[in-house]
Structures are given as structure tokens and as C-alpha cells.
Amino acid sequence: MTTPIASPLPTSLFREDEPVIQGHSLLQCATVPLFGQIDVWDFNGVVRRNANLTEGEWKIFFSSGLTRPEWNLTAREIAMIMANPRYEAPIDAGVHLAPEPFDLKTGIRAVSALRNVVRWAEKNGLPPQLGAWGDVELRRFINHLRDKGSKPGTLMNYVNFLKRLHEVGPALSMGGPLVDPWKGMSARKAAKYVATDELSTPAVPPEIWFPLVRAAWIYVHSFAPDVLRALARYQELRGCLRPSGLEPGEIDEQLDVYLAEPESRIPLHAPAAHAGA
């Protein structure tokens, strides 16, 4: 759905009718979202979705803090640039990213990160133009996350994101942060991230994963031969198919004759357990 923007905004580098995917292999019959769509960009059926993602995770939602026109435009431009790093307009504006397109999930996460930045900015009375932000504002946001108890890994991700906002700033209609407060410093060092041998994810208790391994073994050891036999039989039956030699209209006539015979039997699916006899 496309809703018109009420307030006047600077002219973007991207046209409203421009497809937002130009550097990825598209699925057959894909309907690519357009840059002018300000509510949601749906990539289901457009670009192959990773198996570990749900349909809802394969969309970019410009809501929950990104409905204000200025922020909405910035979010769409960031997603557009990250999806198409070799697009001529950002390059002409002085933005030179890696030549290969980012994984779309990276762009989705970037918009989600921006949403959190926007919520903090609105609570602190900051303008919706990133071009008016300096290093003080960016450091304040990271300190805010640290005070809330965010772990160094999370802080590192946000430092990288803020660095990226500064990097793509020349191609953003509202501009990007004026400076990179951590220029020449890695995000790991800025976030005070210290690598340890300690696992960040607790070990799964044996009482949980033992039954999973046991069930997987039963599937492979006990059910697999039946599955393979069923597949072989299916392929055998497919190989026995012969064309009827009838035209489509003649097939319908033959079916009508068959159905009209009282002796003709019609195969039915077994009724569902909850549907009764």
C-alpha cells in the first residue's frame, strides 16, 4: 500500500516508481516493491528467503516510529542504498560501499536499528534531520544503551550502524551525522568489547536434546526405508502414465458419462477426525 506524504520533503536521489531491488537475482514473476511505498516492502516471492526466516521477517516495516515523513524517507533511502550499493546516484553523491549487494536481512536490521535511534531521539527532542547531529548526539545514544544494560556485542552493532549512517550521509535527503566519533577506531574497541572463551549462549540441557537426537535417529533408521519405497513407487506410477489422446472437451464428456453411471465409484479422502463420518 502506498500512502501519500503530507509534508514537503527534499527531493530524494531515488524516484518514487523505482524498484527497490536492482542487484539481486529475482524469483520468477516477482513483483518488486517500489521506493515510493512508505508502509512496507515485502520481499516474499521477490528474492529467495533464507530458510530460517518467517514471511514476516522478510519484510521491511516503516512503522512504529518511522511514520514521520522525515524519518520515513531516511529509512527508505538507507534500505535502498544498502540493497543497491552500486547504484549510480549514491556513487555520484560520494558514497562508495562494497560492490556486492548486502544481504537483505542486513537492510532489514538497519531499519530496525534506525527505529530504536528515532525513539531515543524523539524522547530527547532531537531533530529528525541526521545532518544536524554531531558526535555528541551519537555518543549520548551509545551511552544510553550502555546505561540500559546493553551488552558489548549489541553496542558494537550500533556503533557500526552509526558509522554507516555517517558514511551514506551524502546520499540521504536529510543528511547523515556530521562526523564519525569513532573514526579510525574499530566498533569492537569503541564498544569496549572483549572476546572471552565463555559461551554467550547457555548449553542446552541433555534432557532437551537427547529426545531430539533419539527422534532423528528413529526417522532415519526406521522411517527412511518406507519413505524411499514410497518415493520409488510414486516415480514408477508417474512413469506409467500415458496420454489419453483426448481433447480437453472430450475429457469433460468422458467424465460426465462416468459420473452418470450408478456403478461408478468415486475415491474420497478419509474424513478428518474432527469432521465426523
Side-chain angles (χ1 to χ4, degrees), residues 28-227:
Q28 190 174 8
C29 301
T31 301
V32 182
L34 303 179
F35 180 74
Q37 294 174 235
I38 68 172
D39 302 312
V40 60
W41 291 356
D42 188 351
F43 301 119
N44 292 287
V46 178
V47 180
R48 188 174 300 280
R49 172 164 48 93
N50 298 342
N52 62 333
L53 300 178
T54 65
E55 290 187 6
E57 293 173 312
W58 209 226
K59 300 177 182 179
I60 298 181
F61 295 95
F62 301 103
S63 56
S64 301
L66 298 178
T67 54
R68 181 166 177 168
E70 296 91 340
W71 287 123
N72 184 276
L73 178 59
T74 297
R76 288 184 289 126
E77 288 177 333
I78 291 171
M80 185 79 169
I81 293 170
M82 295 184 71
N84 307 282
R86 301 311 299 165
Y87 188 79
E88 290 184 3
I91 293 176
D92 292 343
V95 175
H96 301 277
L97 302 179
E100 295 300 323
F102 292 93
D103 184 281
L104 287 180
K105 188 61 180 176
T106 304
I108 294 172
R109 287 173 179 157
V111 173
S112 179
L114 178 65
R115 185 178 291 110
N116 290 329
V117 172
V118 168
R119 289 170 178 163
W120 172 82
E122 292 183 341
K123 286 182 180 179
N124 288 271
L126 295 178
Q129 295 85 12
L130 289 173
W133 292 25
D135 62 330
V136 173
E137 287 75 18
L138 303 187
R139 292 183 185 277
R140 282 177 57 199
F141 175 69
I142 295 299
N143 290 334
H144 157 74
L145 295 178
R146 184 177 284 114
D147 293 341
K148 283 183 59 180
S150 295
K151 295 184 179 298
T154 300
L155 297 178
M156 183 173 66
N157 291 336
Y158 274 98
V159 169
N160 272 326
F161 174 66
L162 296 178
K163 282 175 167 285
R164 179 56 48 78
L165 288 182
H166 170 68
E167 185 179 8
V168 302
L172 299 177
S173 299
M174 299 294 167
L178 298 177
V179 296
D180 173 3
W182 307 282
K183 186 175 182 179
M185 181 187 301
S186 69
R188 178 187 291 263
K189 185 175 181 180
K192 300 178 181 179
Y193 181 89
V194 178
T196 66
D197 295 333
E198 183 180 351
L199 294 176
S200 59
T201 304
V204 180
E207 56 267 23
I208 293 179
W209 65 268
F210 275 8
L212 295 177
V213 173
R214 189 177 300 112
W217 170 249
I218 291 175
Y219 182 85
V220 172
H221 183 265
S222 302
F223 300 157
D226 290 335
V227 173

